[in-house]
Amino acid sequence: MRAGEMPDPEVGENDVLVEIHAAGVNPIDFKIRNGEFKLIEPHRFPLILGNEAAGVVVRVGSRVRRFKPGDEVYARPRKSRIGTFAEFIAIAEDDVAHKPITLSMEEAASIPLVGLTAWQALVERANLKKGQKVLIHAGSGGVGTFAIQLAKRFGSIVATTASAASFDLVKRLGADTAIDYRKDDFETILAAGNRDEYSAGLQHSQRLVQCFSVETILADYDVALNSLDGETLHKSLRVLKPGGILISISGPPDPDFAKEIGASRILSLAMRLLSFRIRRKSKRRHVRYSFLLMRASGDQLREISSLIDLGIIRPCVDRVFPFESTKEAMAYVETGRAKGKVVVKVR
Ligand SMILES: NC(=O)c1ccc[n+]([C@@H]2O[C@H](COP(=O)([O-])OP(=O)(O)OC[C@H]3O[C@@H](n4cnc5c(N)ncnc54)[C@H](OP(=O)(O)O)[C@@H]3O)[C@@H](O)[C@H]2O)c1
């Protein structure tokens, strides 16, 4: 990746031209750079990286109704039209929302990708409800810091994995249980917690024992959100109760996803094979496995703006880099140690 001059973006009739003030950096940026997405999202080069931004509308296409020049906005542009590590970008109106008024440009730029990911996982797929138990992995990361707050907004009970140094952070965000992934095994800890609750519950209702096997009672989470490796994915299955849902944003992709993106027969077959083991195990436990690749949505961003302006969700920005240091910002995200989000200040 290097800095260079590119032509000004063309503005279609349904597009808004945004002068970018800040852009969020995400693992997807270095993954695209490394070619990891080329089967799913073919890009043409030279490609401007960057998957989310906040800025000011400077021009609108003839059919745009919701925005006008001068509006402060934020967006995750759709996958075929990324490129927020830049001074300007043309984005489809449907992908844009007014930026939360309580946030700075840098804070707003940190929200769209992780906010939409958490929304689509917990609200759309899991249909999260009050009192449900959710396990969110990597609670101190970009997705995790948002997902914990969103789950709490829906009245869920949240367990998360993080290193001990991030416990204050994840507890402040609302996590009820934090598990040190460097020292402890989340599966054992969550099961032990349940065992205590279970023993206390027994004093009130002996009948519980007859209704369920002990293993079923110990595995009582409704939702698990995985953003880590395969081992974590398979272990997460064991904390979910029958009827629960295991959502993974780090793979493996499943046949539903292949259908969603209209994958070729070969690619569909590859996805079927890659997810075979986890789908089979999930089925045996009566759990639904679902791979999610988030998508752009201005409508959902509007809902997220409201939650932010009501003070229900706060951004979590670890570091802001100057535009000239975009490469360093990418390298920092690539270390996998960021606490919350990393942002590039463009203007
Ligand atoms: N499918 C999709 O639509 C989608 C959308 C967004 C993200 N993703 C993917 O989801 C993953 C996470 O994204 P992100 O933006 O949240 O990443 P991130 O912000 O870079 O994650 C870094 C954080 O992860 C924590 N962490 C690392 N290893 C951990 C482990 N074994 N257990 C618990 N926490 C751990 C680190 O904590 P410590 O520093 O304390 O170790 C750090 O705070 C990436 O692979 C990304 O590509 C997918």
Side-chain angles (χ1 to χ4, degrees):
M1 186 173 84
R2 62 179 172 78
E5 286 292 329
M6 293 286 277
D8 285 348
E10 280 175 26
V11 185
E13 54 184 12
N14 294 308
D15 292 346
V16 297
L17 181 66
V18 178
E19 178 189 68
I20 296 174
H21 284 230
V25 187
N26 295 281
I28 193 173
D29 294 308
F30 65 77
K31 291 183 181 180
I32 292 176
R33 183 204 60 198
N34 294 349
E36 285 177 40
F37 277 77
K38 63 187 168 190
L39 284 177
I40 301 176
E41 289 159 24
H43 289 291
R44 266 183 289 157
F45 290 84
L47 172 72
I48 306 177
L49 286 173
N51 283 268
E52 59 184 351
V56 176
V57 174
V58 287
R59 188 145 55 88
V60 300
S62 59
R63 296 166 73 108
V64 168
R65 294 288 168 263
R66 278 198 293 265
F67 302 96
K68 57 180 188 325
D71 284 356
E72 295 193 337
V73 295
Y74 69 155
R76 186 277 190 253
R78 60 194 59 185
K79 291 167 194 124
S80 54
R81 300 184 63 187
I82 65 167
T84 58
F85 298 160
E87 291 171 295
F88 293 95
I89 185 170
I91 313 177
E93 176 186 29
D94 286 352
D95 300 349
V96 182
H98 287 102
K99 132 189 183 305
I101 50 177
T102 49
L103 298 190
S104 68
M105 286 289 183
E106 292 78 38
E107 288 172 324
S110 75
I111 298 289
L113 194 136
V114 296
L116 290 170
T117 304
W119 188 278
Q120 287 162 23
L122 300 180
V123 182
E124 250 183 24
R125 293 261 161 119
N127 191 17
L128 206 57
K129 293 198 184 67
K130 193 169 177 242
Q132 286 192 319
K133 295 175 95 169
V134 188
L135 167 62
I136 294 170
H137 282 293
S140 58
V143 176
T145 48
F146 195 101
I148 292 173
Q149 298 182 78
L150 188 63
K152 291 311 290 181
R153 151 80 179 118
F154 283 92
S156 300
I157 299 153
V158 177
T160 192
T161 52
S163 58
S166 300
F167 275 18
D168 282 351
L169 170 68
V170 295
K171 293 262 173 183
R172 219 170 41 241
L173 297 173
D176 301 283
T177 307
I179 300 151
D180 183 353
Y181 74 89
R182 293 173 197 242
K183 229 175 69 221
D184 294 316
D185 175 49
F186 69 86
E187 195 194 348
T188 316
I189 303 263
L190 294 181
N194 294 343
R195 200 174 299 122
D196 294 344
E197 274 175 35
Y198 166 66
S199 314
L202 271 187
Q203 291 159 13
H204 302 290
S205 167
Q206 286 291 344
R207 271 186 311 156
L208 265 178
V209 203
Q210 281 137 31
C211 297
F212 304 102
S213 71
V214 171
E215 199 199 21
T216 316
I217 291 169
L218 297 183
D220 74 342
Y221 274 70
D222 300 278
V223 182
L225 176 56
N226 176 54
S227 53
L228 298 167
D229 58 4
E231 192 192 336
T232 310
L233 179 74
H234 283 263
K235 281 173 83 167
S236 301
L237 198 55
R238 296 202 287 267
V239 309
L240 287 167
K241 67 182 186 193
I245 179 167
L246 171 59
I247 301 173
S248 181
I249 57 171
S250 49
D254 59 9
D256 284 345
F257 175 67
K259 229 182 275 165
E260 191 184 310
I261 62 164
S264 66
R265 275 181 57 197
I266 299 270
L267 194 54
S268 303
L269 182 65
M271 288 180 183
R272 186 173 286 279
L273 291 175
L274 282 170
S275 58
F276 177 73
R277 227 160 58 87
I278 189 68
R279 285 188 294 112
R280 189 180 56 181
K281 273 185 162 176
S282 302
K283 205 165 167 190
R284 280 190 190 148
R285 298 186 70 97
H286 305 286
V287 163
R288 186 153 72 95
Y289 171 71
S290 181
F291 171 75
L292 170 77
L293 186 63
M294 60 80 59
R295 62 178 200 287
S297 169
D299 286 343
Q300 290 177 350
L301 274 183
R302 262 184 285 288
E303 305 220 36
I304 288 171
S305 289
S306 310
L307 292 181
I308 291 172
D309 284 337
L310 286 169
I312 291 168
I313 291 181
R314 293 297 304 159
C316 195
V317 177
D318 178 341
R319 284 179 70 179
V320 179
F321 288 79
F323 192 29
E324 308 74 62
S325 306
T326 304
K327 258 179 118 153
E328 285 76 11
M330 289 258 286
Y332 182 54
V333 171
E334 213 167 349
T335 63
R337 299 277 83 84
K339 308 274 176 262
K341 290 296 300 274
V342 173
V343 172
V344 168
K345 186 175 168 65
V346 177
R347 192 174 299 271

